[in-house]
Amino acid sequence: MKVAIATDDKVTISHHFGRTLGFRVFEIKENAIIREEYRQNIGKSNGQCGSCDHSSMINNIQDCNLVICYGMGQGIYNDLVRHNIMAVITEEQTVDDAISCLMKDDLVNRLDKLH
């Protein structure tokens, strides 16, 4: 399984998927991280509503099964689902905490925070 976590500083989870600077991407096998990389967010928003390029963002993480972030819009959520990428909206603050909770099957998905 591959997991992309939205982050601006490689430590904390971005508050908005469309504006994140990049993703820490983890490959997990048998409940262990076997590979990690960082990818810049291609197509990110310039701050104006509707300025992000969903296709570019999704193509950048198309090999991932799951995306974790702190918040995202309903539009990008729907596009991710259409591309068979599950989105988890978390209240975890750090990338390391989120990946740890995921591997313990304890990551809460707060889809009520979609906007």
Side-chain angles (χ1 to χ4, degrees), residues 1-5 24-26 28 64-66 68 99 102:
M1 168 168 67
K2 277 194 179 176
V3 179
I5 302 181
R24 278 178 66 188
V25 177
F26 298 87
I28 300 170
C64 296
N65 310 90
L66 176 70
I68 299 171
I99 203 74
L102 177 68

Side-chain angles (χ1 to χ4, degrees), residues 49-75:
C49 184
S51 67
C52 53
D53 178 357
H54 291 188
S55 293
S56 293
M57 288 189 290
I58 290 170
N59 285 338
N60 191 31
I61 57 169
Q62 188 171 354
D63 59 329
C64 296
N65 310 90
L66 176 70
V67 169
I68 299 171
C69 70
Y70 195 81
M72 72 173 54
Q74 187 71 52

Side-chain angles (χ1 to χ4, degrees), residues 9 12 23 28 30 47 51 66 93 113:
D9 60 7
T12 57
F23 302 94
I28 300 170
E30 297 177 6
S51 67
L66 176 70
Q93 297 292 312
K113 292 175 53 175

Side-chain angles (χ1 to χ4, degrees), residues 15-59:
H15 280 240
H16 195 280
F17 179 86
R19 294 186 191 123
T20 190
L21 296 179
F23 302 94
R24 278 178 66 188
V25 177
F26 298 87
E27 188 170 349
I28 300 170
K29 187 173 183 178
E30 297 177 6
N31 215 31
I33 297 168
I34 60 170
R35 186 167 177 247
E36 180 184 343
E37 66 179 296
Y38 179 79
R39 299 179 190 173
Q40 290 185 330
N41 184 12
I42 300 166
K44 71 180 175 68
S45 171
N46 64 15
Q48 298 295 318
C49 184
S51 67
C52 53
D53 178 357
H54 291 188
S55 293
S56 293
M57 288 189 290
I58 290 170
N59 285 338

